[in-house]
Amino acid sequence: MSNPATGSVTLTLDGSNRSVSLPLLGGTLGPQVADIRKLYNELGIFTFDPGYGGTAACDSKITYIDGDEGVLLYRGYPIEQLAEQSDFIEIAYLLMNGELPNAAELKAFETGVTRHTMLHEQIRNFFQGFRRDAHPMAVMCGVVGALAAFYHDNLDIHDPEVRRIAAFRLIAKVPTIAAWAYKYAIGQPFVYPRNDLGYAANFLYMLNSVPAEPYEVSPILARAMDRILVLHADHEQNASTSTVRLAGSTGANPFACIAAGIAALWGPAHGGANEAVLKMLGEIGHADNIPAFIAKVKDKNSDVKLMGFGHRVYKNFDPRAKIMKETCHEVLGELGIKDEPLLDLAMELERIALTDDYFISRKLYPNVDFYSGIILKAMGIPTSMFTVIFAVARTVGWVSQWKEMIEDPSQRIGRPRQIYTGAATRDFVPIDKRG
Ligand code: CMC
């Protein structure tokens, strides 16, 4: 619940003596928010906010962003501290439960996740239905949504125990589904999860190992994957999370809601940007071509964007991008990669963009996706899997936000309004009378 009203704002309808006093609500951090819930009843008008840039659709205790200062907090803890000192499974606990776990709580949580990592054997058959060249995000949407068909007698979302188990199932099974989508695409056998490995290490094991020979997960790569998962775990009410909440507000089951989130994440303006950044860098090819590319980005007649730049909320550095850039250097160093032309190209592109008035005046900075793809590529992950990895990480955030919403007594079905601009009322014309 937000704090009680700290003041009010009065809205007066021009040319009339009708006005309404709207309470100003406040959270722990962040600006005040005008509560417009009674606006329509009192003044007969509602608000217009395409893209919801000025609209809070819920209150939440999970994640906080200060876009002007470049701050990101999970449950109050700065992302820099969490990336340095925590790991993904602990952060999953934190996001879902609100507090850092003690050792016993963490162990129990980890066991809760690992006991659900396997997929029902019948789910193997789903994969065979996809073309080999299907994008793994398409496979993710389908198979995650299909999980509901395996737990159909256990979908009473009003039962806290059902919600708890559904959350474990999703967090545990999504890496297995992701790895199998990849294995199917490259024609290799599916690899079953290993519960003796950590979350990130097990994911890499399922992606990279084959039954024909032993496979040792590199601790360097496991650490890098864990860091990437941490940085993507949650990001307040972004497009995919809002999609999950909107779908969930109807009472839909959590598997369907998370599948909806995966679909929303896929777009290049959102999670698909990491894949698009690598494509863009490939097309630019050489630093000499950057000025021509930047000119295209600035040309209002072209629809070319500098992918991995800009954000709806951050009008400063995305703190995740800073950590991602440092991680990129660390991972390349640890892997002994002295020269990575893509990283050089990305840094030069960033340097040029950050000194260009187009980007400065619009407060466009690198976001989380600008450097993540370079790390993933160095780790041997194919480009088509980048957004899938984002989805694996964000599942924890989606599940936490979905749970919070269901447990919020003020929750109502999400139902925006519109300004209708179609034809006014008119009479039907029989076909033989139409011109
Ligand atoms: N390249 C060039 N111009 C841009 C860019 C960009 N990447 N981003 C914004 N602009 C321009 C935009 O054209 C507009 O210019 P003008 O004022 O002249 O019309 C101005 O900056 C304001 O942008 P906006 O479109 O109002 O911003 P938005 O909040 O609607 O969009 C965004 C945010 C992330 C969709 C957009 O910045 C974008 O498309 N970026 C590239 C894709 C990307 O990297 N997405 C990942 C976002 S972070 C991770 C995630 O959420 O998944």
Side-chain angles (χ1 to χ4, degrees):
M1 284 291 282
S2 51
N3 297 331
T6 50
S8 64
V9 59
T10 302
L11 211 60
T12 305
L13 210 52
D14 283 353
S16 82
N17 55 2
R18 292 171 62 209
S19 64
V20 61
S21 166
L22 303 171
L24 282 175
L25 305 178
T28 324
L29 299 167
Q32 290 182 304
V33 176
D35 178 352
I36 60 160
R37 278 175 289 186
K38 63 180 181 185
L39 182 63
Y40 182 66
N41 278 347
E42 303 235 338
L43 280 193
I45 61 172
F46 45 78
T47 55
F48 183 58
D49 185 18
Y52 314 118
T55 298
C58 60
D59 48 48
S60 178
K61 293 182 167 60
I62 302 175
T63 295
Y64 174 73
I65 301 173
D66 182 331
D68 294 322
E69 296 297 323
V71 169
L72 169 62
L73 311 175
Y74 290 166
R75 299 283 189 181
Y77 296 103
I79 189 67
E80 293 81 1
Q81 291 180 22
L82 295 172
E84 190 62 38
Q85 297 175 48
S86 185
D87 64 19
F88 183 70
I89 204 77
E90 186 175 52
I91 281 167
Y93 181 100
L94 173 69
L95 288 171
M96 282 185 59
N97 297 293
E99 296 297 334
L100 287 168
N102 63 28
E105 287 164 339
L106 183 60
K107 183 86 207 111
F109 181 78
E110 200 164 10
T111 307
V113 171
T114 47
R115 70 189 300 175
H116 290 291
T117 49
M118 292 207 307
L119 301 177
H120 191 294
E121 239 349 70
Q122 201 77 2
I123 293 181
R124 286 180 72 102
N125 301 334
F126 276 66
F127 289 85
Q128 318 300 332
F130 290 100
R131 283 170 51 138
R132 289 273 174 196
D133 60 356
H135 195 288
M137 282 298 277
V139 179
M140 291 292 288
C141 290
V143 179
V144 172
L147 287 177
F150 289 82
Y151 306 109
H152 55 87
D153 52 353
N154 201 4
L155 290 177
D156 176 8
I157 58 162
H158 301 294
D159 179 341
E161 186 56 13
V162 167
R163 290 199 296 272
R164 197 183 68 85
I165 294 185
F168 276 128
R169 284 190 171 129
L170 277 156
I171 295 167
K173 290 183 199 305
V174 158
T176 314
I177 297 171
W180 285 19
Y182 171 56
K183 286 297 196 191
Y184 181 72
I186 59 172
Q188 288 186 359
F190 297 139
V191 174
Y192 288 91
R194 263 185 53 191
N195 291 350
D196 60 319
L197 297 174
Y199 192 89
N202 172 52
F203 183 36
L204 286 172
Y205 169 77
M206 290 189 292
L207 281 173
N208 295 330
S209 67
V210 290
E213 54 192 50
Y215 176 81
E216 194 79 26
V217 181
S218 149
I220 296 172
L221 297 190
R223 223 180 22 255
M225 178 59 82
D226 195 85
R227 170 76 60 89
I228 289 171
L229 297 178
V230 165
L231 293 177
H232 287 91
D234 195 47
H235 213 227
E236 56 121 296
Q237 308 309 320
N238 56 81
S240 58
T241 302
S242 298
T243 301
V244 169
R245 279 187 179 257
L246 197 55
S249 77
T250 68
N253 72 73
F255 305 103
C257 297
I258 302 306
I262 294 171
L265 184 76
W266 194 359
H270 192 6
N274 50 16
E275 189 177 336
V277 168
L278 263 243
K279 189 163 168 275
M280 171 189 78
L281 292 174
E283 281 166 8
I284 296 173
H286 192 277
D288 293 349
N289 301 327
I290 293 175
F293 175 75
I294 293 281
K296 254 193 276 172
V297 169
K298 289 157 61 174
D299 178 359
K300 284 288 159 199
N301 296 316
S302 96
D303 55 6
V304 178
K305 284 238 155 94
L306 177 47
M307 300 310 285
F309 255 68
H311 197 273
R312 169 61 60 79
V313 185
Y314 292 120
K315 299 302 167 200
N316 197 328
F317 264 94
D318 175 342
R320 303 168 302 171
K322 280 191 192 162
I323 305 170
M324 205 60 97
K325 187 174 177 183
E326 283 162 23
T327 308
C328 192
H329 285 291
E330 275 165 32
V331 171
L332 294 179
E334 285 175 351
L335 292 175
I337 302 174
K338 291 205 173 55
D339 186 30
E340 172 49 75
L342 278 184
L343 177 60
D344 297 340
L345 187 59
M347 289 198 314
E348 183 59 6
L349 187 54
E350 177 189 355
R351 191 191 64 77
I352 292 178
L354 291 180
T355 51
D356 187 306
D357 189 54
Y358 176 93
F359 298 92
I360 297 171
S361 61
R362 289 171 178 76
K363 299 187 177 169
L364 301 172
Y365 291 89
N367 60 48
V368 68
D369 292 313
F370 195 67
Y371 285 105
S372 62
I374 298 171
I375 309 179
L376 290 170
K377 180 173 173 286
M379 291 169 67
I381 308 277
T383 319
S384 64
M385 285 296 289
F386 291 2
T387 312
V388 173
I389 288 166
F390 195 154
V392 168
R394 187 56 61 84
T395 296
V396 165
W398 291 328
V399 164
S400 306
Q401 301 264 355
W402 169 80
K403 234 173 117 283
E404 182 181 66
M405 181 195 66
I406 301 292
E407 288 162 13
D408 177 355
S410 68
Q411 185 264 323
R412 303 168 75 198
I413 188 168
R415 188 19 176 120
R417 301 303 307 269
Q418 63 171 7
I419 301 179
Y420 174 68
T421 56
T425 311
R426 50 186 170 164
D427 289 326
F428 179 79
V429 181
I431 195 160
D432 56 331
K433 301 259 166 31
R434 291 175 213 159

